[in-house]
Every structure is written in structure tokens, then in C-alpha cells.
């Protein structure tokens, strides 16, 4: 009996486990499915998917039952890194999964889609040299996985994500960069047009889909799914809602036209280049590459997933309802990291130990020595 239960336990390899999406998946599998699924999440130092040999050696050794890939090179990576991590890494993982005859779950992105409304899984941008390195590598990955599904019998599922929101984005990217800009009061006006809608993806719900897709291969194999909140949200409405949660006055409700913003961006890029010339390193947020999309709608249809056997675990949770939780998490984190100073201790609360650490380190040290250095009893071996 015990043996049968042990046999059933599956082992998965998660690539990108330190990232926003990978971290959320790792947490889910460790806390919710530990009895039936074990997850190995090697860091990029242990297993870099740029190296085909690393992938082969690791998977040969671990012999997993499935692989989930949430790795990506930084958004503004050069062509080589984007190609090697986002595309070649994907292809090599897929080749290894094919050889081991195991499912491969791949995270893709709405950057493979044009602007427009109610876009379906069949839609995609034409592959062209003018795409950003990120979009090009994600699009090529989708195309090759489809090809390998047909030609090599690869058992894969592509999950296309839109603008992702959730806790633990330690790099402050995408949605969280927008949120940070508002919290930091560095957005003076609205960099969008009235009512321009986009789709948003809830990171916390994604693990439930991945788990479901792993359990229902016959239905999900060889398929692409959009994973977004059912209803899109207008960017101006979202920004103004965040502003009111934070009780801020900025950004002003003035809509800045795109040509003005584009000129500003051009000027900033030149300025950054000039300053770099003098040895002053200036790095503009990579999200500036998406500036144009603030002025164009991009909404993804969720019909295909809704018609599948997957059931949304928290149907009422949206980017708007998640805001209070996100506000508390990120303002606390950014405050502790001294990234924002607008929100004072009133918000973060008062901590006696922290006060002692700041003002009475000697007393704190003595009190810890007096009563808090004995070995943990609950960690000691029971004799
Ligand atoms: N966040 C979004 O808004 C968004 C939107 C649409 C789609 N997506 C997709 O979702 C996936 C995850 O995105 P994310 O936001 O979670 O990214 P992220 O937070 O930037 O994390 C990226 C992860 O990739 C790992 N990685 C980078 N280079 C690697 C390499 N050579 N070998 C192995 N691992 C490597 C990083 O590990 P280290 O830290 O150790 O380098 C990190 O764990 C990506 O496929 C992305 O395209 C994200």
C-alpha cells in the first residue's frame, strides 16, 4: 500500500524558480501538493538553460516526470542572451522532455500578440526582424514547440500570460514597475489614452492551472491557452484606483499624448547614452519598450480556458480586488529596502526590536545573550 502511494508521487523540475512566476509555482507545489508532487527548482547557477549539456546532464540524473519552464532573460537583454535563454533554452528543454517522453509546460507572453481586442490563441504577430528581442524569442519558442508537437510528438502546453500581478516580484518588472512609479510619485500625468484596456494575469492562480494541465494531459497536450482575468481593465482606471488606494495626488488626471511621450523617451535615451559616456551609469526601465502599448488596447480572450475542464479557484479575484494585498506587500517591502520614502512608519507599523536595534544595540545584545541563545529544543535529536 505504502509502496503504491510512493510510486505515485511525481517529480517535477521547475526552471526559473527564483522569479515571480517560478517562485509562486514553487511555493504552491511545496505547500499544497507535497504529498503527491516533489519539485526540484535548480537555480540558474546550478542549471543554466543556455547550456544544452547542463540540461541533458541534470535531467538525465534527476529523471523527472515533467518540466515547467518559467525562465526568461532580462527584458532588455541583447539579442544573444534573449535568443539563448528564451529560445534555445526552451528548445533544448523541449528536446530533453521529448527524449524522456514527459510533459513540458511553457510560459509564454502576450508580447507574441498584436494589439487588439478579444485576441484568441490562434492570433500571433508575424515573425519579423523588427520585433523586440523578447517578443521575437517568445514567438519563435511558441512556433517551435508547435512544430515539435507535430513532428516529434512533444507533449507540451503553452500558457500565454498577459500583464502579471502578484507578490514577490523582487525585480520590480511590468505591472509592479507601474505600481512603483505611482507609489514613488514619479508619474506626473497619465501615460495612456482614456479607456485603453489590457488583460491582466493573476500569478497566484497560475499554479492551479499548471497542476490541472499536468493532471489532464489528454486535454491540455499540444495546446496553447491564454491565462488572464476574464475582464480586461482600462489602464487609466487602474492607475487612478492605485492612486486613490495610496491616497496620493499624482499622477494628475491629464492624458499625455503618445507623440509627446515618444519624444521624451527619445530624449531620455540620448541623455542616458551621453551620461554613460562620462562614466555615469544610467539605466532606463526596460518597460519603456512597451510604452506604445500603453496607448493601444490588448485584450486576450479567455474563452478557450473557460470552456476547458479547468475551474478558476478564485473567480472573484481580479487586479482591482487584489490591490489592497499588493499595496501592503509592496509598500512594506519597498519601504524596508529604502526604495520609497513617501510612506512613513505610520504605514509600516512600529517594531520594538527594530527600535532597540536602531537606538540601543548594546541593551539588545545583552538581552539576547541573557535569554535567547540556548539551542532550539525542538531541533535537538530526540534520544
Ligand atoms: N512578469 C510578467 O509580467 C510576465 C508577463 C508575461 C509573460 N511572462 C513570462 O513568464 C515567465 C516568468 O517570468 P517572471 O516574471 O517570473 O520572470 P523573472 O521574475 O524575471 O524570473 C526569471 C527567472 O528566470 C531565471 N533564469 C534567467 N536566466 C536563466 C538561465 N540561463 N537558466 C536558468 N534560469 C534562468 C532567473 O533565475 P536567476 O534569477 O537565478 O537568474 C529567474 O528565476 C517568462 O517566460 C515570461 O516571459 C511574464
Amino acid at each position: 500500500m505504502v509502496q503504491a502511494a510512493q510510486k505515485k508521487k511525481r517529480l517535477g523540475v521547475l526552471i526559473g524558480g527564483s522569479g515571480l512566476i517560478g517562485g509562486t509555482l514553487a511555493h504552491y507545489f511545496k505547500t499544497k501538493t507535497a504529498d503527491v508532487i516533489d519539485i526540484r527548482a535548480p537555480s540558474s547557477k546550478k542549471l543554466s538553460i543556455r547550456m544544452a549539456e547542463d540540461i541533458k546532464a541534470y535531467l538525465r540524473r534527476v529523471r523527472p516526470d515533467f518540466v515547467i519552464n518559467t525562465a526568461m532573460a532580462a527584458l532588455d537583454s541583447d539579442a544573444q542572451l534573449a535568443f539563448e535563454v528564451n529560445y534555445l533554452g526552451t528548445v533544448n528543454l523541449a528536446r530533453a522532455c521529448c527524449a524522456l517522453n514527459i510533459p513540458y509546460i511553457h510560459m509564454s507572453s502576450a508580447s507574441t500578440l498584436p494589439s487588439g481586442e478579444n485576441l484568441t490563441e490562434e492570433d500571433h504577430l508575424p515573425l519579423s526582424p523588427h520585433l523586440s528581442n523578447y517578443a521575437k524569442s517568445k514567438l519563435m519558442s511558441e512556433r517551435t514547440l508547435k512544430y515539435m508537437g507535430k513532428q516529434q510528438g512533444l507533449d507540451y502546453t503553452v500558457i500565454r500570460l498577459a500583464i502579471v500581478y502578484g507578490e514577490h516580484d523582487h525585480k520590480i518588472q511590468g505591472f509592479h514597475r507601474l505600481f512603483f512609479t505611482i507609489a514613488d510619485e514619479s508619474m506626473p500625468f497619465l501615460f495612456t489614452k482614456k479607456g485603453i484596456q489590457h488583460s491582466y494575469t493573476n500569478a497566484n492562480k497560475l499554479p492551479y492551472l499548471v497542476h490541472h494541465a499536468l493532471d489532464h494531459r489528454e486535454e491540455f497536450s499540444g495546446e496553447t491557452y491564454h491565462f488572464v482575468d476574464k475582464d480586461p481593465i482600462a489602464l487609466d482606471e487602474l492607475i487612478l484606483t492605485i492612486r486613490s488606494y495610496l491616497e496620493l495626488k499624482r499622477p494628475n488626471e491629464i492624458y499625455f499624448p503618445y507623440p509627446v511621450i515618444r519624444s521624451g523617451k527619445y530624449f531620455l535615451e540620448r541623455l542616458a547614452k551621453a551620461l554613460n559616456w562620462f562614466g555615469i551609469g544610467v539605466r532606463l526601465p526596460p518597460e519603456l519598450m512597451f510604452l506604445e502599448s500603453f496607448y493601444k488596447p490588448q485584450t486576450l480572450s479567455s474563452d478557450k480556458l473557460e470552456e476547458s475542464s479547468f475551474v478558476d479557484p478564485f473567480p472573484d479575484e481580479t487586479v482591482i480586488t487584489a490591490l489592497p494585498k499588493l499595496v501592503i506587500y509592496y509598500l512594506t517591502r519597498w519601504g524596508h529596502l529604502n526604495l520609497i520614502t513617501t510612506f512613513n512608519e505610520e504605514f509600516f507599523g512600529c517594531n520594538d526590536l527594530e527600535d532597540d536595534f536602531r537606538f540601543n544595540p548594546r541593551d539588545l545584545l545583552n538581552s539576547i545573550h541573557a535569554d535567547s541563545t540556548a539551542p532550539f529544543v525542538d531541533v535537538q535529536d530526540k534520544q
Side-chain angles (χ1 to χ4, degrees), residues 59-227:
L59 296 187
R60 221 186 275 128
R61 184 158 48 81
V62 171
R63 293 263 153 198
D65 297 300
F66 61 85
V67 171
I68 305 166
N69 180 15
T70 68
M72 66 174 264
L75 267 179
D76 53 352
S77 298
D78 69 1
Q80 185 183 353
L81 197 60
F83 174 73
E84 287 183 2
V85 177
N86 300 352
Y87 178 67
L88 271 190
T90 297
V91 175
N92 287 327
L93 283 169
R95 291 180 73 182
C97 289
C98 222
L100 295 169
N101 201 17
I102 55 171
Y104 173 64
I105 311 290
H106 178 77
M107 296 306 145
S108 192
S109 151
S111 67
T112 60
L113 288 166
S115 52
E117 285 169 23
N118 217 17
L119 298 162
T120 72
E121 282 78 356
E122 298 308 311
D123 290 314
H124 60 81
L125 284 164
L127 184 57
S128 103
H130 309 296
L131 295 176
S132 68
N133 296 328
Y134 176 68
K136 203 188 294 176
S137 60
K138 298 301 280 186
L139 183 59
M140 285 171 64
S141 299
E142 284 193 3
R143 300 268 292 261
T144 302
L145 291 177
K146 198 169 179 183
Y147 178 83
M148 288 180 67
K150 288 216 170 87
Q151 299 296 319
Q152 309 291 345
L154 172 70
D155 176 8
Y156 75 97
T157 302
V158 168
I159 303 176
R160 266 193 201 147
L161 312 178
I163 305 165
V164 178
Y165 61 93
E167 291 100 334
H168 307 290
D169 181 359
H170 297 171
K171 296 183 189 161
I172 319 181
Q173 302 188 111
F175 169 78
H176 310 103
R177 168 65 53 189
L178 173 85
F179 185 10
F180 179 82
T181 313
I182 301 168
D184 192 39
E185 296 190 85
S186 46
M187 186 190 286
F189 307 108
L190 294 172
F191 299 150
T192 182
K193 280 197 290 197
K194 204 171 179 56
I196 293 291
Q197 293 197 317
H198 296 100
S199 291
Y200 290 83
T201 293
N202 185 325
N204 290 331
K205 291 187 197 179
L206 179 64
Y208 293 87
L209 171 60
V210 172
H211 188 182
H212 186 83
L214 285 167
D215 284 349
H216 296 81
R217 293 315 300 149
E218 56 308 323
E219 180 184 358
F220 283 80
S221 181
E223 298 291 336
T224 297
Y225 291 88
H226 288 170
F227 188 65

Side-chain angles (χ1 to χ4, degrees), residues 75 172-175 177 284-291 294:
L75 267 179
I172 319 181
Q173 302 188 111
F175 169 78
R177 168 65 53 189
L284 297 176
E287 285 76 9
L288 278 179
M289 75 167 81
F290 297 127
L291 205 51
F294 294 179

Side-chain angles (χ1 to χ4, degrees), residues 47-67:
L47 166 55
S48 169
I49 58 167
R50 292 176 81 183
M51 311 288 169
E53 287 312 314
D54 276 16
I55 294 176
K56 286 194 240 173
Y58 187 83
L59 296 187
R60 221 186 275 128
R61 184 158 48 81
V62 171
R63 293 263 153 198
D65 297 300
F66 61 85
V67 171

Side-chain angles (χ1 to χ4, degrees), residues 5-59:
Q6 273 172 352
K7 227 178 173 188
K8 267 196 183 154
K9 198 164 180 177
R10 284 173 287 170
L11 175 62
V13 167
L14 170 66
I15 312 290
S18 66
L20 167 63
I21 300 294
T24 310
L25 281 161
H27 180 73
Y28 171 87
F29 284 114
K30 289 218 167 99
T31 54
K32 298 246 171 15
T33 69
D35 292 343
V36 283
I37 297 178
D38 258 342
I39 283 288
R40 299 264 171 93
S43 73
S44 61
K45 284 162 199 78
K46 191 163 185 187
L47 166 55
S48 169
I49 58 167
R50 292 176 81 183
M51 311 288 169
E53 287 312 314
D54 276 16
I55 294 176
K56 286 194 240 173
Y58 187 83
L59 296 187

